[in-house]
Amino acid sequence: MQMISELFKKNIRQYGMIIALVFITVLFQILTDGILLKPLNVTNLILQNSYILVLAIGMVLVIITGHIDLSVGSIAAFIGALAAIMMVDMQLPPFLAVIISLGVGALIGAWQGFWIAYVRIPAFIVTLAGMLLFRGLTMIILGGQSISPFPKSFQKISSGFLPDWFGGANIHILTIVLGVILTLLVIWQEWKDRKTQIKYNFEIAPIWMFIAKVVSLVAVINVFTYVLATYNGFPNILVILFVLIVIYSFVMNRMIAGRHIYALGGNEKAAKLSGVKTKKVTFWVFVNMGAMAALSGLIFAARLNAATPKAGTNFELDAIAACFIGGASASGGIGTVIGAIIGGLVMGVMNNGMSLIGLGVDWQQGIKGLVLLLAVAFDIYNKSKTN
């Protein structure tokens, strides 16, 4: 029992938010009389929060380095407007327009990264200036009006679903197959990680606890995929999100670049003395954030089927909140991609659940603010207990 208690304390950031997500989901499932987890609503949850989750993946890297980015909502709006001009007005092929848009987003990130990394202007000031600059540019290029509609092929980024190659009638068989494959991959990865921990004499959980964890993961994956299969299957955006989560988790956990990002956020001077090129790392983190903001803007524009001057409003606040709720530290050096996704899902489930039970926007904003404050207070309390 003492070992279990110690393991929980060491992983309280990770487990705490997972428990909170489960609790909030069950609570709103009861309060909404089962509407929350209906197939249509689960799909809507994914579509409604996809662009915030994409931003959260990029933002958690920025926060780990000890910085912040307030400009991502305005960049998303600007890129959405730029994409609309290319696809609707100039009739460029959607694929080419998307590539150009992502490139422009990366260039915007490079512009901001230069001032932050090499001129040493605080990220708060640079990105605040960027927020105002790109919001203004969005209004200028749109002329204060919306541009629509986008080509059907572009809209499928946010509204399309994977086709069922097996021709299921009442259930999406491909989704079930993908769920089984994902289950096998999770079991293999968990077993591989446990064997590695044993090999290097790391402290591990008892076998019954390991089995319980794997069974829980398998149950969640298969219930989730079955719910999606009873509607239209996997949304295209979920595939994009899954690929991003896998790539960024691998980079942060297994690659030297990820180690350098954590080292920079933990102690910049020590990282520099250890040979980490801190300016270069900071620069590329903001280039990445610009590209992720561009992708978020494209996803939002595709879902809305229009580019509007007010697009992206408060996106940066939702992304930052997702990271902090997911366990990232305001002082840098701590945070995970999975944690940011869990934080984003907590916010998404709360938003959806509160809307379903009829809570007004004023109450929703107040409750979300309180949850964010409690999450950061929880982080500070944990740090004080471990020091």
Side-chain angles (χ1 to χ4, degrees):
M1 185 61 71
Q2 186 176 355
M3 182 185 290
I4 296 171
S5 178
E6 288 296 321
L7 283 168
F8 184 80
K9 286 178 181 178
K10 289 179 182 178
N11 297 278
I12 193 165
R13 291 172 188 272
Q14 177 185 354
Y15 296 146
M17 277 306 109
I18 293 174
I19 293 169
L21 177 59
V22 172
F23 174 78
I24 291 169
T25 303
V26 171
L27 175 65
F28 281 114
Q29 175 71 355
I30 295 169
L31 292 177
T32 60
D33 296 325
I35 296 175
L36 182 74
L37 295 181
K38 284 190 173 181
L40 175 60
N41 196 60
V42 170
T43 301
N44 284 336
L45 260 172
I46 296 167
L47 301 180
Q48 289 167 3
N49 295 282
S50 56
Y51 37 90
I52 299 299
L53 295 178
V54 169
L55 280 180
I57 293 172
M59 187 66 73
V60 75
L61 271 63
V62 173
I63 290 173
I64 289 170
T65 59
H67 296 292
I68 204 79
D69 194 336
L70 301 177
S71 66
V72 293
S74 296
I75 294 172
F78 175 72
I79 294 298
L82 186 65
I85 289 171
M86 288 190 288
M87 280 185 260
V88 179
D89 293 347
M90 299 172 61
Q91 296 293 306
L92 284 181
F95 178 77
L96 179 59
V98 167
I99 297 298
I100 294 172
S101 297
L102 293 176
V104 171
L107 286 174
I108 292 171
W111 161 259
Q112 297 193 139
F114 168 77
W115 293 105
I116 295 164
Y118 295 103
V119 185
R120 305 295 289 178
I121 300 176
F124 183 90
I125 301 300
V126 173
T127 58
L128 178 60
M131 178 176 72
L132 300 172
L133 172 62
F134 293 106
R135 180 61 63 184
L137 287 176
T138 302
M139 293 181 176
I140 289 170
I141 65 175
L142 288 178
Q145 297 180 334
S146 298
I147 297 178
S148 64
F150 282 102
K152 293 289 184 183
S153 58
F154 178 72
Q155 293 178 44
K156 287 183 180 179
I157 293 175
S158 283
S159 60
F161 294 83
L162 290 181
D164 191 356
W165 301 326
F166 299 97
N170 298 320
I171 194 165
H172 201 276
I173 299 175
L174 177 62
T175 300
I176 299 295
V177 172
L178 291 175
V180 172
I181 294 171
L182 187 57
T183 297
L184 295 174
L185 287 173
V186 166
I187 294 172
W188 175 77
Q189 186 62 50
E190 289 292 329
W191 181 250
K192 181 183 174 185
D193 290 345
R194 184 176 176 85
K195 285 179 68 178
T196 302
Q197 290 171 342
I198 293 172
K199 180 180 178 181
Y200 292 104
N201 295 317
F202 290 160
E203 188 177 358
I204 59 172
I207 187 65
W208 67 265
M209 194 174 180
F210 169 76
I211 293 172
K213 177 186 176 183
V214 172
V215 169
S216 299
L217 286 171
V218 168
V220 169
I221 291 169
N222 283 276
V223 168
F224 177 68
T225 52
Y226 177 77
V227 168
L228 291 179
T230 56
Y231 183 55
N232 283 334
F234 268 99
N236 292 335
I237 190 60
L238 186 58
V239 177
I240 296 172
L241 272 172
F242 179 76
V243 171
L244 289 174
I245 292 168
V246 170
I247 291 173
Y248 279 86
S249 294
F250 180 80
V251 169
M252 294 303 290
N253 296 328
R254 303 295 175 92
M255 292 184 66
I256 294 174
R259 297 296 95 198
H260 286 180
I261 291 171
Y262 278 113
L264 171 59
N267 189 319
E268 183 176 357
K269 289 183 179 178
K272 193 171 184 178
L273 291 171
S274 300
V276 177
K277 296 178 180 178
T278 53
K279 291 180 180 179
K280 186 177 179 181
V281 171
T282 300
F283 175 79
W284 283 108
V285 163
F286 277 92
V287 171
N288 175 75
M289 185 71 258
M292 295 298 276
L295 178 58
S296 176
L298 292 171
I299 292 169
F300 184 73
R303 174 164 172 76
L304 200 62
N305 194 24
T308 67
K310 295 297 182 182
T313 304
N314 291 334
F315 278 18
E316 61 279 345
L317 302 183
D318 287 339
I320 292 167
C323 294
F324 286 138
I325 290 172
S329 173
S331 57
I334 296 172
T336 62
V337 172
I338 294 297
I341 294 296
I342 291 171
L345 290 175
V346 167
M347 295 288 284
V349 172
M350 285 177 55
N351 285 336
N352 188 264
M354 288 188 292
S355 296
L356 288 174
I357 63 176
L359 271 183
V361 176
D362 47 357
W363 278 98
Q364 291 186 33
Q365 295 293 333
I367 292 171
K368 287 195 303 185
L370 184 60
V371 169
L372 175 59
L373 181 62
L374 291 174
V376 176
F378 182 65
D379 168 62
I380 294 171
Y381 172 77
N382 283 328
K383 288 179 69 176
S384 67
K385 293 288 284 184
T386 53
N387 291 337

